[in-house]
Amino acid sequence: MNAQGIKNQDHLNWLICNENYAAQEKLDGMRCIAHVTKTGLRIFSRSAGVEDPTRPLEKTAALPHLASLRFPQLANTVLDTEILAPGVDAASLSGAIHSREVGRTYGQVKAFVFDVLRYRGEDLSHKTLRERIAVLDILNGALQSPYVIFLPWAFTAKGKWSLYESVLSRGGEGIMLKRLDALYVQGGRPANNWLKAKKSATFDCVVMGFTKGKGKFNDRIGAMIFGQYVDGKLTELGQASGMSDAERADMSLRPNNYIGKVVMIKGMERLKSGAIRHPQFAGMRNDKDRHQCRWYQNEQ
């Protein structure tokens, strides 16, 4: 989605209290575009295929229960959706759909609608999100199916806090905060249009090294390699970026000043392997000894 992360608690407070941002639950599914035709739904990925880089991959054949849904009165409507199956992560679901085994393997998935690009032939990309939500309300009443779910919105500060706390309390991903005056931009999201507030925890880890940067960072470090002590041995547990430009520049010039030092790594959760999901550099811990950074197997 190219959404930006929330910077800190103050940033989250500001967004939730800002009347120009509405909130929806953040889902961990597969982003797809659904075209409503007279004969059923056609489902496409957001990315193009290898054989034809100009054309998105069509997933319709792998989702027959969605393809068979017919709403002829809504033909030429295009929806932005998240394809989701309970208990199945995005990578596994994407692989199953790609191999057309989703029906046999995971049962019938659902399409969660969160935006609309076109309504009965009318291009809505020049409309604000506030205007597109009004169209989504119309579609919610007209497009009735147990396999198509319209994600609810929260507009007030109280509603946004309630949604955020509810999602986290049941183990959900978090919420998306979206600017109501923003236009729909194909293939990207301008700064501050979409922001994600996800569950997270902070882990104290040891810097073990750095990877070489790529693209605009090809003359600097790329990511920080970090680890913790497992049974007395420093063990690599992942790589993280998220450094400021000044921090990245200093780490590139003086990497040895950081190797062996303790850093805070922010992530969504610790996996059973010990790895940290979606890790990001969150700062230095100069007050902590490296040997205090321990992970005990099966500790979550």
Side-chain angles (χ1 to χ4, degrees), residues 90-286:
S92 300
L93 180 60
S94 179
I97 290 177
H98 182 70
S99 64
R100 298 188 180 182
E101 294 181 351
V102 66
R104 177 171 61 82
T105 307
Y106 297 124
Q108 294 181 328
V109 302
K110 296 181 180 181
F112 290 80
V113 180
F114 59 85
D115 211 335
V116 55
L117 292 72
R118 186 177 292 273
Y119 176 61
R120 299 175 65 181
E122 180 187 359
D123 179 15
L124 301 182
S125 61
H126 64 286
K127 301 285 189 181
T128 65
L129 176 58
R130 184 180 282 105
E131 293 172 307
R132 300 197 306 275
I133 289 174
V135 176
L136 287 170
D137 288 340
I138 296 172
L139 287 168
N140 193 11
L143 206 160
Q144 294 291 318
S145 168
Y147 304 119
V148 180
I149 311 297
F150 284 77
L151 277 177
W153 293 87
F155 298 98
T156 66
K158 182 178 179 180
K160 285 181 271 187
W161 277 124
S162 179
L163 177 64
Y164 181 62
E165 292 165 359
S166 173
V167 170
L168 295 190
S169 68
R170 54 182 164 80
E173 286 280 306
I175 61 172
M176 299 293 300
L177 291 146
K178 304 178 182 181
R179 272 183 54 178
L180 289 168
D181 62 353
L183 306 181
Y184 190 98
V185 180
Q186 292 277 10
R189 298 290 167 193
N192 299 317
N193 275 9
W194 284 19
L195 297 107
K196 52 190 175 185
K198 304 189 296 184
K199 62 181 179 181
S200 64
T202 302
F203 306 85
D204 292 332
C205 301
V206 181
V207 180
M208 299 180 67
F210 298 94
T211 64
K212 180 175 172 50
K214 298 178 181 179
K216 69 176 183 178
F217 297 132
N218 62 1
D219 59 343
R220 284 166 281 177
I221 61 145
M224 171 187 294
I225 302 170
F226 64 86
Q228 290 178 316
Y229 284 90
V230 180
D231 296 329
K233 180 181 178 181
L234 185 58
T235 304
E236 182 180 334
L237 294 177
Q239 299 178 9
S241 57
M243 297 78 78
S244 68
D245 288 344
E247 289 167 334
R248 189 184 296 274
D250 194 62
M251 291 175 185
S252 300
L253 288 173
R254 289 173 279 274
N256 291 333
N257 286 358
Y258 293 89
I259 294 175
K261 297 295 180 65
V262 178
V263 292
M264 294 181 291
I265 299 295
K266 183 179 179 180
M268 290 185 63
E269 59 185 335
R270 190 193 289 277
L271 304 177
K272 291 182 179 180
S273 65
I276 296 168
R277 188 179 179 197
H278 300 318
Q280 289 285 308
F281 172 75
M284 303 297 300
R285 279 295 304 268
N286 296 320

Side-chain angles (χ1 to χ4, degrees), residues 47-57 98:
S47 56
V50 175
E51 295 181 0
D52 185 355
T54 65
R55 184 180 178 83
L57 291 169
H98 182 70

